[in-house]
Amino acid sequence: MRLGDALVPVFAALAFLYLLVPIAYTVAFSFNDGGKTNLVWRGFTLDAWRNPCGAPQVCQAFVNSLQVGVVSTLLATALGTLLAIALVRFTFRGRTLANLLIFLPMSTPEVVLGAALLAQFLTVRVPLGFWTVVAAHVMFCVSFVVVTVKARVAGLDPALEEAGADLYGSPWQVFWRVTFPLLLPGIAAAALLAFSLSFDDFIVTNFTSGSFDTFPKFVYVSATRGIPPQANVIGSFMFVLALVLVLAVQVVGAARARRRRAA
């Protein structure tokens, strides 16, 4: 066995260990009997799991993040999907510039983006709150949706849509019965990415939210006195939920692949 063949698994294991240490810490301290401060391990308890809303405002902040994430994801996915189809399938004046501008929110530092949005909202005198956070999240999530869906659109054979038109389908029918089902895996992946980015965002949210609290803001404010175990419970729950969704998608994909091979 070559030295490289032996070292690659070791480096991979160390990399995964490095990535999983913060998650393991979060899960472990969700069982900590920390009281009002959760900085030092004091003993095992299930109290936080029995009452995940025991810490003041933690569940409200979590619900706020879910609401912002869902609304932002729906808007960004719808807008980004339409933009991706237009940029791939149609030729129009300014198409190259539009492709360039799509990448600007992705490449702009979040602190610059947040400060610029705050200045804009203050200039037009828009009260900071739920809808300003949604507008900010939609703006940077659209870029990720476009990039993800564009790859799916580019790999779609136009002959399939032409066949639908040859069968006397209207453009609307061809889109919903041919194009949309074929694009659905890419759209779903883009929506999951947009939701995770929105739910996780702190910097842009902190600039544009005013007194409106989200879960990342709650964790940041609580960090100075020790994040309450209830926040760790919610974080652990979200991690497990994401893991279950990923595993479910893999299982369903493998089952479909086996059915195709059997057919």
Side-chain angles (χ1 to χ4, degrees):
M1 180 183 293
R2 293 181 300 176
L3 180 61
D5 294 335
L7 289 179
V8 167
V10 175
F11 287 140
L14 290 175
F16 276 109
L17 181 63
Y18 177 76
L19 292 173
L20 293 175
V21 163
I23 298 174
Y25 174 90
T26 299
V27 174
F29 273 74
S30 68
F31 298 100
N32 184 29
D33 188 12
K36 293 184 178 180
T37 61
N38 196 27
L39 297 172
V40 180
W41 181 263
R42 290 190 171 89
F44 180 88
T45 181
L46 292 173
D47 290 346
W49 284 89
R50 294 192 186 101
N51 184 21
C53 295
Q57 301 300 318
V58 63
C59 280
Q60 183 60 52
F62 176 65
V63 171
N64 289 344
S65 285
L66 287 179
Q67 291 174 340
V68 169
V70 169
V71 176
S72 301
T73 298
L74 292 175
L75 295 175
T77 303
L79 182 58
T81 299
L82 296 177
L83 282 170
I85 295 173
L87 291 172
V88 174
R89 289 297 177 83
F90 299 95
T91 301
F92 53 90
R93 184 176 298 177
R95 179 184 175 188
T96 303
L97 179 61
N99 272 305
L100 176 63
L101 292 176
I102 284 296
F103 286 94
L104 281 182
M106 299 173 63
S107 58
T108 304
E110 286 195 18
V111 65
V112 176
L113 194 62
L117 286 168
L118 174 61
Q120 179 181 348
F121 291 143
L122 292 178
T123 300
V124 297
R125 297 184 180 181
V126 176
L128 300 180
F130 175 83
W131 288 110
T132 54
V133 175
V134 168
H137 286 200
V138 169
M139 193 188 69
F140 67 77
C141 286
V142 162
S143 299
F144 293 92
V145 173
V146 171
V147 171
T148 305
V149 178
K150 269 182 67 178
R152 184 69 179 179
V153 178
L156 183 63
D157 188 356
L160 297 173
E161 296 167 296
E162 294 171 3
D166 290 340
L167 294 171
Y168 305 102
S170 66
W172 190 251
Q173 289 175 322
V174 171
F175 175 79
W176 281 113
R177 297 188 180 185
V178 179
T179 307
F180 182 75
L182 293 172
L183 294 181
L184 190 56
I187 295 173
L192 290 174
L193 177 60
F195 179 81
S196 63
L197 289 170
S198 174
F199 184 87
D200 184 60
D201 183 78
F202 167 74
I203 297 177
V204 174
T205 303
N206 196 42
F207 276 99
T208 59
S209 60
S211 60
F212 180 77
D213 273 338
T214 62
F215 188 66
K217 280 186 64 178
F218 175 86
V219 171
Y220 177 79
V221 173
S222 302
T224 55
R225 60 181 182 271
I227 300 172
Q230 287 82 2
N232 290 343
V233 169
I234 293 175
S236 302
F237 169 77
M238 293 299 295
F239 171 74
V240 172
L241 178 62
L243 187 62
V244 169
L245 289 175
V246 170
L247 292 176
V249 169
Q250 294 296 323
V251 170
V252 171
R256 288 180 176 177
R258 284 196 299 270
R259 285 199 298 268
R260 291 195 198 100
R261 288 194 297 267

